Amino acid sequence: MAPKIQEWLEDWLESLRDPAGAEIKYREKLETHPEDTTALNALASTLSDQGKHNESAKVYFQLIYIDQNDSEAWNGYGEELDALGEYEQAEIAHRKAITIDSTEYHYHICLGDTLSEQGKYQDAEDQYLSATELMREDHPAQTVVLND
C-alpha cells in the first residue's frame, strides 16, 4: 500500500476510535501547516462526526478559500449548512459543487435532500434521478435493483 494512502487510512481509523483526540492531532498539524488540505478535510469530517457543524462549516469554508474549485469542500460546506438548518445557503453550496463536478452522484443526492427540506419536491426528485443515472453509469453492478 502506498505510504500516503496507509497514513490516510490510519488517521481515518483513529478518528473513528477517538474523534476528540483526532481533532487535537489535526489542529496541531494545522498550526504548522495551515493550508494542508488533507488535514483540513480530516478536521472538518471529524468535527462533523462530533456534531460540531458550525465549526466544521468554517473549516470547509477555509478549504473553499484555498481552492474555489474544490467540489468536495463545497459539498461538505453544504452538508454542514444543512445540519444547521440553513437550507437556502446549503442549496447554493451544493449547486456550486455540481457546477464544478456534475458527475459526482453524491452531490446530486445532497442537493436533493436540501431541496426536499425546503419543500421543493419536484426539483429534489430531478436531482435523485440524476444521481440514479450517474450511479448506473459508474456502478452498473450495484444498481441492478434500480432497473427492476
Side-chain angles (χ1 to χ4, degrees), residues 85-142:
E86 297 179 27
Y87 302 117
E88 290 177 10
Q89 293 301 313
E91 178 182 345
I92 292 167
H94 290 308
R95 288 190 187 281
K96 180 67 175 178
I98 290 170
T99 297
I100 296 166
D101 182 2
S102 63
T103 65
E104 177 54 59
Y105 69 86
H106 180 71
Y107 300 167
H108 292 274
I109 292 170
C110 290
L111 177 56
D113 292 347
T114 300
L115 293 167
S116 182
E117 286 289 342
Q118 296 177 79
K120 300 177 181 178
Y121 301 115
Q122 184 58 56
D123 292 339
E125 181 180 346
D126 292 344
Q127 291 303 316
Y128 295 140
L129 290 172
S130 293
T132 301
E133 287 304 313
L134 290 167
M135 289 170 64
R136 282 186 178 140
E137 293 169 12
D138 290 345
H139 309 286
Q142 294 177 4

Side-chain angles (χ1 to χ4, degrees), residues 52-69:
K52 298 178 179 180
H53 301 293
N54 194 37
E55 288 181 64
S56 181
K58 289 176 183 177
V59 175
Y60 279 119
F61 196 78
Q62 282 181 267
L63 284 159
I64 292 166
Y65 183 79
I66 292 168
D67 180 2
Q68 293 181 351
N69 291 313

Side-chain angles (χ1 to χ4, degrees), residues 12-55:
W12 178 70
L13 289 172
E14 180 182 336
S15 72
L16 292 177
R17 286 190 298 268
D18 180 15
E23 177 185 344
I24 292 167
K25 177 182 173 181
Y26 299 136
R27 288 188 188 280
E28 287 173 352
K29 184 169 187 170
L30 289 165
E31 285 178 15
T32 56
H33 300 90
E35 293 194 359
D36 181 333
T37 57
T38 301
L40 284 166
N41 268 304
L43 177 60
S45 179
T46 299
L47 290 167
S48 182
D49 290 345
Q50 295 177 79
K52 298 178 179 180
H53 301 293
N54 194 37
E55 288 181 64

